[in-house]
Amino acid sequence: MVRARNLSKRFDTRRIFDKVDIDLDVGGFLLVTGPNGSGKTTLLRVLAGLAAPTGGELELPVRGEIGYLGHEPLVYKQLTPHENLTLFARLYRVPDREQRIRSLLERFALWDVRDKEVATFSRGMQQRLGLGRVLLHEPKLLILDEPFNALDTAGAALLDEELATRSARAVVVATHDPERVEGLATERLGFA
Amino acid sequence: MRYLSDVAALTRKDLLLELRAKETIPAMLLFVLSALTIFHFAIPRGSSDVAALGLLWVAIVFTSLLGLTRAFVPEREQGLMDALVLAPCDRSTIWLGKTIAVIAFLGIAEVVALPAFTLFFSGLTLKTVAAVALADIGIAAVGTLTGAMAVAGRARELIQPLLFLPLSIPVIVGGIGASATAGPKFLLFLALYDTVFVLLSWAAFDFVAAEA
Amino acid sequence: MFAIAIVSVFFWAPSDADQGLSQRIFYFHVPIALTGYACFGWGAWKALRHLWKDDPNADLESYVAIHQGVIFGSLTLITGSIWAKISWGVWWVWSDDQLVLFLVLFLFYCAYFMLRYSVDPGPQRANLSAVYALFGVVLIPVSFLAIRLSHSFIHPVVFTRSGAQMTGTMLTTFCICLAAMLVLFVTLYQLELAGKRLDTRIRELKELLT
């Protein structure tokens, strides 16, 4: 699913990372660890197809099969959860749109507030919605950048469940505090 | 077909955002009325109607600039361009959806501004109205692209006017020409501008939206 | 090359019948302007190469060409306004199409630099710069047409310059000057490019050492 050979990225002349090799198949779980500012986010953006690598070879699934959750929930704060998910479901051509949105919102305990503006939500709720957005189209490759940072307890429990039961997908998680998902990882990449 | 439904979903999103926030359109309306009021004092009595028409075009370009500067703010504030770019639709749909929303905002501002102009200054010919409509297309197309460029950098919205105004000079020329002279020459020029810059912006947006 | 150009401008070419000595600035002004166009055109060509073929050197080459273009553009504005002062007694004439067009381009390409400096170096900056550079070459003919058309409502009388009616010696002098300017551009272009590349190389080495 993800093949990287000798992958490198630099900003101008500054090296962010060098000589990264990745082999990740369906069911695989890549844990990227390292302190803040060590290049984890940049690597994840490259793997999501949002940034171009400077050198090396990279093989990724096609664009619509990737789900990426960054530090921000990546939802429109002026829209409601339902409107947000409808927009992305249309763009990702999700079949049985209404049903899928409903089941996700119920699962993430957001069904009751589906018609309220996201701006009125707590950070934890927003991040839960963000998680719902990346799972909406059943991505084959799920990329999560520090996913536990902003999640509340309920959201974190849902994410644990989602990560443990990954059936048809590969997962990449970056975190500076790996204990929570340590047991799930099949591959590791440490950044200094 | 798929392309059009993606564009429709994105335009709908922008209209919905404006409906909620109610920021851009009221600001544009107030701005264009203020500008026309200031122009009343700026042109001495006895000036020709052409001078007033020139100022109408200045008001239109600067009002549109106000709207265009805001165009990508929702995406920029929350890093949402990433989410849109990752969707499996053609990236130019993001540009087209936004451009159509901007044309709608401009249209609303002008529905108020043009009657206000006839009330304050002088009547408008049908040709001027046609020129305004043609100009809106070019302004929105180019301005949306430069808007996306501006939010990519550190200077954010600050450089939007700098990027956009040199490109808008031909629109001003075409618009004033259409208002002040006879014959279809200037309308054709505006149509030419629209064609060239719509195609160019449409083709170029892919490179502006993302680095990969 | 440059020396030949200067000598031929001042000693060989015949003085213009009604403009006299001042007409000689024409041999600088017009070649400088044409070289400016060449710079912008070359910059846009390299921009296209960057977007289309992903040529890794094209971004820097495009930037350097446009940088030279702005220098030649500024010189066009200066020589143009000196000429205007001598010929018409004013520093600025809106009726000179070339001068107005260069003003528009000057504003446009200054914005290009603002854009370039507001984005961190990397593929994103290269893409944005390239797209804007392409807009520039499209803007040149469109603006030129616009400025031409604008005479019909701004100026009742259109000034036409009898540029084409040159005698043989004048034409030769003109061609020598144009060639000299182009050689100057190519030299400066290579020089700046070499400098920029050296700078990158030094920073890379510094990075390796730390």
Side-chain angles (χ1 to χ4, degrees):
Chain A
M1 177 135 323
V2 182
R3 297 260 168 289
R5 286 285 167 273
N6 208 8
L7 204 63
S8 69
K9 174 77 180 176
R10 26 175 86 190
F11 286 135
D12 200 13
T13 57
R14 198 159 49 90
R15 273 168 299 154
I16 308 298
F17 55 79
D18 245 336
K19 299 193 179 103
V20 170
D21 291 325
I22 297 172
D23 278 285
L24 199 62
D25 284 310
V26 174
F29 188 120
L30 172 66
L31 181 61
V32 185
T33 54
N36 288 332
S38 59
K40 298 192 300 291
T41 296
T42 309
L43 174 68
L44 261 56
R45 288 181 63 81
V46 169
L47 293 182
L50 285 168
T54 316
E57 285 165 39
L58 180 63
E59 206 182 291
L60 286 177
V62 297
R63 212 158 21 134
E65 295 180 345
I66 299 175
Y68 168 78
L69 183 61
H71 297 187
E72 297 281 334
L74 301 189
V75 286
Y76 287 94
K77 299 220 164 115
Q78 243 95 50
L79 300 182
T80 68
H82 190 267
E83 287 161 350
N84 266 298
L85 293 187
T86 304
L87 169 68
F88 286 104
R90 278 175 195 268
L91 296 182
Y92 280 94
R93 320 176 193 317
V94 173
D96 297 324
R97 198 166 60 224
E98 276 308 310
Q99 222 174 334
R100 175 87 186 130
I101 291 171
R102 183 175 181 143
S103 77
L104 265 176
L105 286 175
E106 280 174 346
R107 191 160 149 233
F108 284 85
L110 292 165
W111 180 250
D112 293 337
V113 290
R114 64 186 180 276
D115 291 327
K116 289 209 163 62
E117 274 181 45
V118 175
T120 62
F121 291 7
S122 70
R123 185 80 180 84
M125 281 165 89
Q126 292 185 8
Q127 195 71 2
R128 250 189 285 153
L129 179 61
L131 201 54
R133 180 189 61 75
V134 290
L135 295 173
L136 184 66
H137 59 289
E138 302 277 13
K140 292 218 171 78
L141 173 63
L142 185 61
I143 298 175
L144 305 172
D145 195 358
E146 301 283 1
F148 293 100
N149 264 8
L151 276 177
D152 45 18
T153 349
L158 278 161
L159 180 58
D160 280 337
E161 186 191 310
E162 187 66 38
L163 291 177
T165 60
R166 60 183 192 283
S167 44
R169 67 171 62 117
V171 179
V172 180
V173 172
T175 173
H176 62 276
D177 172 28
E179 272 165 42
R180 186 167 192 128
V181 286
E182 189 73 67
L184 296 168
T186 61
E187 320 276 330
R188 282 176 188 75
L189 202 60
F191 275 39
Chain B
M1 218 39 234
R2 187 134 265 188
Y3 190 89
L4 291 181
S5 78
D6 288 341
V7 172
L10 288 160
T11 305
R12 192 170 159 271
K13 174 261 304 175
D14 279 315
L15 297 179
L16 212 55
L17 279 172
E18 177 55 28
L19 207 65
R20 282 294 143 67
K22 295 187 192 67
E23 279 173 354
T24 308
I25 292 175
M28 286 167 84
L29 288 175
L30 201 57
F31 182 86
V32 78
L33 290 178
S34 312
L36 291 176
T37 312
I38 287 171
F39 291 163
H40 164 71
F41 297 104
I43 25 182
R45 191 187 306 222
S47 298
S48 69
D49 283 352
V50 180
L53 279 167
L55 290 178
L56 172 71
W57 281 93
V58 173
I60 286 173
V61 166
F62 280 91
T63 307
S64 65
L65 193 55
L66 196 69
L68 288 166
T69 308
R70 298 282 308 168
F72 277 100
V73 166
E75 275 75 18
R76 192 263 289 163
E77 274 175 354
Q78 292 136 46
L80 268 151
M81 200 61 125
D82 286 349
L84 297 182
V85 158
L86 281 176
C89 43
D90 195 303
R91 282 172 186 160
S92 62
T93 55
I94 304 172
W95 167 81
L96 189 54
K98 191 72 82 180
T99 301
I100 292 171
V102 169
I103 291 174
F105 297 170
L106 268 174
I108 293 170
E110 280 150 6
V111 162
V112 175
L114 295 182
F117 181 82
T118 51
L119 198 68
F120 293 172
F121 298 96
S122 63
L124 291 168
T125 55
L126 202 61
K127 203 169 142 220
T128 304
V129 179
V132 169
L134 279 172
D136 285 353
I137 297 171
I139 287 172
V142 171
T144 304
L145 190 88
T146 57
M149 289 175 136
V151 297
R154 279 186 305 273
R156 306 278 183 213
E157 293 89 31
L158 181 67
I159 61 167
Q160 163 72 339
L162 306 177
L163 296 177
F164 172 71
L165 286 175
L167 288 164
S168 74
I169 291 171
V171 177
I172 295 258
V173 172
I176 297 173
S179 305
T181 61
K185 195 167 65 177
F186 284 95
L187 287 181
L188 287 174
F189 175 72
L190 282 172
L192 173 79
Y193 180 94
D194 287 355
T195 314
V196 169
F197 278 97
V198 164
L199 286 175
L200 192 60
S201 308
W202 175 76
F205 188 78
D206 203 6
F207 299 106
V208 172
E211 65 173 62
Chain C
M1 189 77 191
F2 226 72
I4 301 172
I6 290 171
V7 168
S8 53
V9 167
F10 286 102
F11 299 103
W12 191 35
S15 290
D16 186 80
D18 54 49
Q19 287 192 29
L21 192 68
S22 73
Q23 191 266 347
R24 288 173 200 272
I25 199 169
F26 159 85
Y27 296 115
F28 291 110
H29 174 67
V30 179
I32 288 173
L34 291 175
T35 309
Y37 289 129
C39 295
F40 295 137
W42 186 249
W45 165 245
K46 285 292 177 184
L48 192 65
R49 291 274 308 172
H50 165 75
L51 294 177
W52 196 14
K53 302 269 168 157
D54 218 5
D55 179 348
N57 299 318
D59 174 51
L60 187 65
E61 288 165 356
S62 168
Y63 163 73
V64 169
I66 287 170
H67 187 211
Q68 298 296 336
V70 170
I71 294 171
F72 281 99
S74 312
L75 286 173
T76 308
L77 290 176
I78 293 166
T79 52
S81 83
I82 292 170
W83 194 6
K85 177 68 185 165
I86 297 166
S87 310
W88 297 301
V90 283
W91 287 107
W92 186 258
V93 276
W94 287 106
S95 53
D96 184 340
D97 291 347
Q98 185 110 299
L99 220 49
V100 178
L101 180 55
F102 264 91
L103 182 64
V104 173
L105 292 180
F106 184 75
L107 294 174
F108 179 88
Y109 284 105
C110 285
Y112 170 90
F113 289 116
M114 294 286 286
L115 174 70
R116 203 172 161 92
Y117 291 128
S118 83
V119 186
D120 291 321
Q124 172 90 354
R125 183 175 82 171
N127 283 351
L128 294 182
S129 305
V131 168
Y132 206 62
L134 283 177
F135 267 71
V137 277
V138 176
L139 184 67
I140 294 174
V142 173
S143 290
F144 185 74
L145 189 60
I147 292 163
R148 263 289 154 82
L149 286 171
S150 75
H151 290 308
S152 63
F153 60 90
I154 296 178
H155 300 284
V157 187
V158 180
F159 286 80
T160 47
R161 199 184 298 145
S162 47
Q165 301 159 357
M166 286 192 283
T167 64
T169 16
M170 285 167 95
L171 189 67
T172 318
T173 310
F174 176 78
C175 288
I176 293 171
C177 283
L178 182 58
M181 284 300 165
L182 287 171
V183 168
L184 181 67
F185 157 58
V186 173
T187 316
L188 287 174
Y189 173 75
Q190 301 286 5
L191 204 67
E192 193 183 344
L193 212 51
K196 284 270 194 303
R197 282 187 179 141
L198 200 64
D199 183 52
T200 316
R201 194 81 196 98
I202 289 169
R203 278 185 296 139
E204 268 172 6
L205 286 171
K206 261 192 198 156
E207 177 79 10
L208 277 174
L209 284 172
T210 50

